[in-house]
Amino acid sequence: MKLGIVGLPNVGKSTLFNSLTKAGAESANYPFCTIDPNIGVVPVPDPRLDVLAEMNHSAKVVHATIEFVDIAGLVKGASKGEGLGNQFLSNIREVDAIVHVVRCFEDSNIVHVDGNIDPLRDIETINLELLFSDLEILERRYAKLAKSVKNDKTLVKETQLVEKLKKHLEEGKLAKSYEPEDEDEEDLLRSFNLLTYKPTIYAANVAEKDLADDGASNEQVAQVREYARTEGSEVFVICAQIEQEIAELEEEEKKMFLEDLGLSESGLEKMIAASYKLLGLISYITSGEMETKAWTITKGTKAPQAAGKIHSDFERGFIRAEVVSYDNLTEQGSYNAARDKGLVRSEGKEYVVQDGDVVLFRFNV
């Protein structure tokens, strides 16, 4: 999964990016990978893997990973080259979702770029920059299509869609609010990789005092939640400053620190839960002596396609899947004990894999 982090200067975006990537690296003993200064790869915390690895004496544990792309310098006018944003906007064309960090705290020592705290105005500013960037993409696409469509009638539908989308965006509407006429339009729209079509998760960055009640008493968080509800987006409350402190701690210290704050999970875990929910993702697990590994799939994926995540041969030669739920397996203490109790099921091609399924695929090619 790939998430692009956006936000105005001084909203806590870079603090959040730095703390998330560092926290992820430490919590799962995963070597933090910096692809370039604005991209970090972190593991998805999943305590189920450690339990199964111990049960099966696995040589290694492999977590699912998330790639964070930090879009630096995104300011008003970024789409026209202001700040550094323009050169980074292209980095998030391929992300699965956008994490939009919004400032919901007062601090006289941290100057807001627009002079005062107004999360809805900030959201609108960023959305406009993404929208302008999308319009530029559509303008270029239309210029090419207008030349080609005269000789290639298969491009008529795409040309018409680009025209309609341009009009939609010029009215100040996001691409995600455009309603496709049919599946062909929907497929085309998805293929354009427009920034304003991406699913969005709003990270409401609050002061420490607002963390315990998850921002319930913060009026600005309430505004963000209402805005997100109208467009079907997710919201999670975070204190980037606290996340930075958490990132410096060892695992046991981290748990105690969170408990002292009245929290059950870190910001990274909140973000992952929000992104999995928004994108409709789940994880199944394979576990043996060689490794215990989590595999991320879309909810509703059938067994052969889930097997294909491991290797295309697994899908091509799929015979069956031997499945036991994580809860049943850990309750029995071993795979053999679960099988003796009849808890290991043999599932065929129509089986829809569930979150927490521990699976052994049988295949032949």
Side-chain angles (χ1 to χ4, degrees):
M1 181 164 52
K2 194 171 182 177
L3 302 178
I5 304 180
V6 301
L8 291 171
N10 294 342
V11 298
K13 178 175 63 68
S14 294
T15 303
L16 177 61
F17 174 78
N18 292 336
S19 61
L20 287 178
T21 48
K22 187 169 185 183
E26 288 187 356
S27 67
N29 194 28
Y30 183 89
F32 168 49
C33 170
T34 305
I35 298 169
D36 67 35
N38 297 90
I39 298 178
V41 179
V42 300
V44 175
D46 190 339
R48 297 176 300 189
L49 301 185
D50 295 322
V51 173
L52 292 176
E54 188 175 343
M55 181 188 296
N56 293 318
H57 310 293
S58 303
K60 64 177 179 176
V61 175
V62 183
H63 289 253
T65 58
I66 293 182
E67 185 174 312
F68 290 109
V69 184
D70 182 28
I71 312 305
L74 198 55
V75 295
K76 193 177 288 186
S79 58
K80 303 298 179 190
E82 293 292 327
L84 297 170
N86 197 38
Q87 70 194 66
F88 293 119
L89 279 170
S90 59
N91 286 352
I92 54 172
R93 288 276 162 211
E94 304 300 325
V95 300
D96 298 302
I98 289 173
V99 177
H100 187 161
V101 184
V102 187
R103 180 170 168 178
C104 297
F105 68 90
E106 299 281 353
D107 188 336
S108 57
N109 295 317
I110 304 174
V111 179
H112 190 284
V113 70
D114 285 327
N116 67 317
I117 310 302
D118 184 343
L120 297 188
R121 179 202 57 212
D122 293 356
I123 288 171
E124 188 177 315
T125 298
I126 294 290
N127 280 347
L128 272 174
E129 294 313 314
L130 301 182
L131 189 149
F132 290 146
S133 184
D134 282 349
L135 268 173
E136 194 179 319
I137 293 289
L138 290 174
E139 293 282 1
R140 290 205 297 265
R141 197 175 193 114
Y142 185 75
K144 287 181 182 177
L145 286 166
K147 291 178 184 176
S148 306
V149 72
K150 295 171 186 173
N151 303 314
D152 187 352
K153 297 307 174 189
T154 62
L155 298 175
V156 170
K157 183 137 194 167
E158 183 177 350
T159 307
Q160 290 172 341
L161 176 59
V162 171
E163 283 180 313
K164 287 188 282 186
L165 277 173
K166 275 174 57 190
K167 187 181 176 185
H168 187 80
L169 267 61
E170 282 163 357
E171 291 171 356
K173 300 172 185 172
L174 306 184
K176 69 178 74 174
S177 68
Y178 175 81
E179 294 185 11
E181 290 181 2
D182 51 37
E183 281 187 22
D184 289 340
E185 267 204 359
E186 191 172 348
D187 290 342
L188 277 170
L189 178 53
R190 195 178 295 115
S191 73
F192 293 167
N193 279 330
L194 297 177
L195 299 176
T196 61
Y197 187 67
K198 304 283 183 190
T200 303
I201 305 159
Y202 292 99
N205 189 14
V206 301
E208 181 183 333
K209 64 181 177 61
D210 291 324
L211 270 181
D213 69 352
D214 202 35
S217 55
N218 184 312
E219 189 180 324
Q220 291 156 342
V221 173
Q223 291 174 1
V224 175
R225 283 186 167 133
E226 177 57 26
Y227 181 90
R229 188 188 62 76
T230 63
E231 65 173 30
S233 298
E234 289 289 320
V235 178
F236 72 98
V237 172
I238 196 167
C239 175
Q241 199 58 49
I242 291 296
E243 288 302 313
Q244 194 169 37
E245 292 178 35
I246 290 172
E248 305 294 332
L249 302 174
E250 297 295 332
E251 194 60 32
E252 282 305 311
E253 293 175 316
K254 192 182 295 183
K255 286 178 185 173
M256 290 170 61
F257 188 75
L258 287 170
E259 283 174 11
D260 289 343
L261 291 170
L263 304 174
S264 59
E265 57 186 354
S266 69
L268 177 63
E269 290 164 320
K270 281 186 183 180
M271 184 187 288
I272 289 166
S275 54
Y276 268 60
K277 181 180 176 184
L278 185 70
L279 297 170
L281 301 175
I282 60 171
S283 293
Y284 76 86
I285 304 165
T286 55
S287 184
E289 286 189 7
M290 285 182 66
E291 68 175 20
T292 292
K293 184 168 182 174
W295 303 87
T296 302
I297 56 172
T298 305
K299 206 176 286 185
T301 300
K302 292 183 178 178
Q305 288 70 49
K309 273 280 183 183
I310 301 174
H311 197 287
S312 57
D313 284 351
F314 281 36
E315 181 175 357
R316 191 158 51 90
F318 179 87
I319 299 172
R320 67 179 184 278
E322 293 177 11
V323 184
V324 57
S325 74
Y326 170 81
D327 290 340
N328 283 339
L329 180 55
T330 51
E331 195 176 290
Q332 296 305 315
S334 73
Y335 186 84
N336 288 339
R339 188 174 54 193
D340 290 345
K341 285 282 180 70
L343 298 172
V344 178
R345 311 181 309 278
S346 182
E347 302 285 3
K349 291 182 178 180
E350 294 305 306
Y351 177 69
V352 175
V353 178
Q354 304 297 309
D355 184 61
D357 276 353
V358 183
V359 187
L360 174 65
F361 291 109
R362 301 291 183 185
F363 71 103
N364 182 39
V365 290

